Amino acid sequence: MTRQRSRKLFSRILWFDQDAGNDPVAAVPAPVTDPVPEPPPTPEPEVRPPVPVPRRVRSRILSLEPQPAPQGEIYTEHFGLNARPFALTPDPDFLYWPQSHQRAYTMLEYGIRANSPITLITGEVGAGKTTLLLHLIRSLGSEIRVGLISNPHGSRAELLRWVLHALEQPADLNESYVDLFSRFQNFLLSEYAAGRSVVLIFDEAQNLTAEAL
């Protein structure tokens, strides 16, 4: 009984607010709130082994199916030309005939018809000398045997091997200069007996030495 009475007296104690002029204020019990439930535990993520990525293998064969050919060329369709110009190699079909080229071609043709020992034409790089020579070779008949030696260099024996190869004649490395010259001379005699002439054309002859000339 004494313990319960003490609790009742304790609950009736008056509290004094100093700022409010010591007016008695009854103690208000704190509201009772429900306990906040704890959040459920977060499940740990499942660890899975890494999936192997297939390696991409590149192949040089892009497609086994034949690719369609281009429908048209810009030179033939857009500009209306019959063939594609501007090839990397000299093409006598696209030979331009200014007066300088006409004079050079006349000199070459006259030298062949007149059996001149040497005929020489000179010109700047890219002027069309090789194209002019190819047109000359194509215009000659079967009565003239032509040997074209492009970019010749070397000694006399090496140059003579170039000449024999251009005329489709054998020239072994072990043969001496005398043997090579004898074969070349016999070839000239056989062609002359058959009524044919032999013409040697040296393209880029400035690369030859004075001894080879």
Side-chain angles (χ1 to χ4, degrees), residues 51-161:
V51 180
V53 180
R55 186 176 181 182
R56 189 175 181 180
V57 180
R58 295 184 177 180
S59 177
R60 294 185 178 179
I61 303 176
L62 299 181
S63 178
L64 297 178
E65 298 180 359
Q67 298 297 327
Q71 297 297 328
E73 295 286 345
I74 185 174
Y75 298 105
T76 56
E77 291 190 356
H78 181 74
F79 294 102
L81 301 178
N82 296 328
R84 184 176 182 178
F86 310 118
L88 297 178
T89 56
D91 191 352
D93 291 334
F94 295 93
L95 181 60
Y96 178 64
W97 288 101
Q99 293 184 357
S100 58
H101 287 62
Q102 294 180 13
R103 289 194 299 267
Y105 185 80
T106 302
M107 290 290 296
L108 292 173
E109 191 176 22
Y110 175 79
I112 292 176
R113 302 301 178 184
N115 295 326
S116 299
I118 294 177
T119 303
L120 173 67
I121 61 171
T122 60
E124 296 294 334
V125 177
K129 302 182 296 296
T130 303
T131 307
L132 198 67
L133 291 175
L134 296 179
H135 179 75
L136 175 67
I137 295 174
R138 189 170 60 179
S139 63
L140 296 177
S142 59
E143 71 279 2
I144 298 177
R145 187 74 176 268
V146 180
L148 176 61
I149 299 95
S150 300
N151 194 16
H153 58 277
S155 60
R156 291 192 308 167
E158 293 176 349
L159 181 61
L160 192 53
R161 288 191 179 91

Side-chain angles (χ1 to χ4, degrees), residues 12-46:
R12 293 178 182 179
I13 295 175
L14 298 179
W15 297 89
F16 296 93
D17 189 0
Q18 298 178 0
D19 297 333
N22 295 331
D23 293 336
V25 178
V28 180
V32 179
T33 58
D34 298 333
V36 179
E38 296 182 359
T42 305
E44 296 182 0
E46 183 180 358

